[in-house]
Every structure is written in structure tokens, then in C-alpha cells.
Amino acid sequence: MLKTLVKNLFSKPVTERFPFGPREFPAGSRGQVVIDTSACIFCGLCQRKCPANAIKVVRAEKTWSIKRMQCISCGACVDACPKDSLKLDSKYFTPDVTKREDTYNA
Ligand code: SF4
Ligand code: SF4
């Protein structure tokens, strides 16, 4: 026990000083889906793989939309994308009170 006590006295605390210090998210954290429209080919695979029906791709108009409140951050769209144009951001985003749909164009 004495060994553990001495070790803890001289080691860095495991707790974070948030909001006084920057928040560090562990690897693999699932946040908001972000798209790189320059790489997207509007194939619609992400739309078909989404279990929450949150994504809508209109190939003719080259638009990619996501219903933010419907998304459950499962990552299925990220895994399905053949062009690696989707990723799950690990940044904090403020909670929303409106059912907004974000649309991105090529
Ligand atoms: S799967 Fe990828 S390339 Fe295809 S529409 Fe979705 S984001 Fe674009
Ligand atoms: S992370 Fe999951 S729920 Fe969200 S858009 Fe992608 S597939 Fe749909």
C-alpha cells in the first residue's frame, strides 16, 4: 500500500482540468459525421448503410445531407464509404434543440 501511495503522490492526476485545460478525447471517440465533398462521388452507399436513415444523397444535384438529430454516430457510413470522404469528428458539439438537416454541395 505504501508503494502505491508514494507512486500516486508523484504521478500526474488521471482527471482532466476541463474547462481550465483543453479536453483530450480518447482515440476512437465518436462525434459528428463530417464530409469531404471534394472526395465524394455521390454513390449513395453511405445512405444505404445508415441504420438511422439520417443521410440523403442526391446524385443529380451532387448534394449530401445529414439529419443531425437522427444520427446515432454508429460509424457505418464511414466504414462503407469507398472514397474515405466521411469521418467521425471527435470534437465537442453543442446539443441542438431543432431537428436540423445539414446539406453539403460538391
Ligand atoms: S459513400 Fe462516400 S462517396 Fe459515396 S455518397 Fe457517401 S460520402 Fe460520398
Ligand atoms: S454515423 Fe451511423 S447513424 Fe450517423 S449518419 Fe453515419 S451511418 Fe447514419
Side-chain angles (χ1 to χ4, degrees), residues 6-73:
V6 173
K7 191 181 147 206
N8 286 343
L9 271 176
F10 296 102
S11 60
K12 208 177 136 208
V14 290
T15 49
E16 292 177 7
R17 289 185 44 80
F18 183 80
F20 305 107
R23 180 93 193 262
E24 283 176 25
F25 293 92
S29 295
R30 294 178 185 178
Q32 204 165 225
V33 179
V34 288
I35 183 167
D36 172 12
T37 47
S38 63
C40 178
I41 54 171
F42 301 93
C43 63
L45 208 54
C46 51
Q47 180 184 322
R48 289 198 291 280
K49 292 285 181 181
C50 179
N53 203 21
I55 298 175
K56 194 171 117 195
V57 180
V58 183
R59 194 174 200 167
E61 294 170 14
K62 291 194 172 185
T63 58
W64 186 93
S65 312
I66 183 165
K67 289 174 184 160
R68 294 291 178 194
M69 265 198 169
Q70 221 157 294
C71 174
I72 55 170
S73 297

